[in-house]
């Protein structure tokens, strides 16, 4: 898979951060793509290369989700243009119903069954994972962090200009 340019660092959805990684949501001055967690670090590394190969999670058929594996952590990444979102994470439990990928598939199948029970135009896919994708709160948080990123770049540029000016006679 290749894109128009390098991908931005992976970031978790707020749901994934709170429920799957069991981490508190930091203040907006601490961007979510800077959280120190093995699965987030691996996701950012894995999706840093625009020409990198990514393994699709085949048991999920309603969205294209990619595997992330590090230590015993497993994750599901969804790409929104050039922004990788960690939408789900858990632990590998080989052969167990609690294994991350088995649980992800079971959750997707259960969500599909609930959706089809509530809607006359039932889904044709085997899974339904829309509830894992970035929600409005995720996009609001990302835009708020854009202000933080801008201030950081501005501060660095100003410091560079001051340093350059002090070196000149």
């Amino acid at each position: 898979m290749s894109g128009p340019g390098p991908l931005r660092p992976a970031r978790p959805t707020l749901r994934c951060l709170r429920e799957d990684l069991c981490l508190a949501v930091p203040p907006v001055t601490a961007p979510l793509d800077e959280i120190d967690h093995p699965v987030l670090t691996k996701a950012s590394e894995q999706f840093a290369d625009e020409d990198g190969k990514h393994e699709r999670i085949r048991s999920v058929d309603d969205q294209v989700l990619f595997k992330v594996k590090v230590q015993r952590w497993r994750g599901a990444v969804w790409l929104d243009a050039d922004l990788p979102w960690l939408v789900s994470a858990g632990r590998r439990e080989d052969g167990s119903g609690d294994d991350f990928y088995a649980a992800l598939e079971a959750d997707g199948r259960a969500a599909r069954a609930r959706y089809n029970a509530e809607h006359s135009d039932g889904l044709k896919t085997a899974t339904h994972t829309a509830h894992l994708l970035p929600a409005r709160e995720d996009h609001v948080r990302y835009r708020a962090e854009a202000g933080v990123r801008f201030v950081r770049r501005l501060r660095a540029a100003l410091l560079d200009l001051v340093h350059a000016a002090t070196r000149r006679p």
Side-chain angles (χ1 to χ4, degrees):
M1 156 170 267
S2 65
L7 298 176
R8 292 178 273 177
R11 59 186 292 113
T13 61
L14 292 167
R15 188 216 58 81
C16 179
L17 183 70
R18 289 187 296 252
E19 297 175 22
D20 299 348
L21 301 178
C22 299
L23 296 174
V25 177
V28 75
T29 54
L32 299 185
D33 57 19
E34 295 177 0
I35 290 176
D36 184 24
H37 190 282
V39 75
L40 280 168
T41 301
K42 180 65 176 181
S44 287
E45 291 170 1
Q46 187 173 319
F47 288 88
D49 180 8
E50 64 180 296
D51 295 322
K53 300 285 186 238
H54 307 296
E55 184 181 355
R56 183 172 178 183
I57 299 173
R58 299 264 177 235
S59 60
V60 172
D61 65 348
D62 67 310
Q63 298 290 333
V64 175
L65 300 179
F66 296 103
K67 293 182 179 182
V68 175
K69 301 176 185 179
V70 61
Q71 300 160 6
R72 291 193 61 208
W73 282 100
R74 299 295 179 260
V77 169
W78 178 76
L79 288 177
D80 183 10
D82 65 343
L83 179 57
W85 289 89
L86 182 70
V87 297
S88 189
R91 300 260 186 180
R92 179 180 66 85
E93 302 291 339
D94 244 353
S96 163
D98 292 335
D99 181 67
F100 172 71
Y101 293 117
L104 181 67
E105 178 183 7
D107 178 64
R109 289 182 179 279
R112 176 196 180 269
R114 285 189 305 274
Y115 181 93
N116 284 352
E118 297 169 4
H119 298 85
S120 59
D121 58 334
L123 299 171
K124 306 295 185 242
T125 58
T127 58
H128 181 57
T129 56
H131 62 287
L132 298 176
L133 301 184
R136 183 179 185 280
E137 69 174 348
D138 295 300
H139 294 289
V140 167
R141 169 73 187 227
Y142 185 75
R143 284 192 301 276
E145 288 177 13
V148 173
R149 288 186 292 275
F150 174 74
V151 167
R152 285 180 176 177
R153 284 192 309 272
L154 183 61
R155 183 177 295 134
L158 289 172
L159 286 173
D160 288 345
L161 288 171
V162 168
H163 288 292
T166 59
R167 288 188 213 123
R168 292 193 180 129

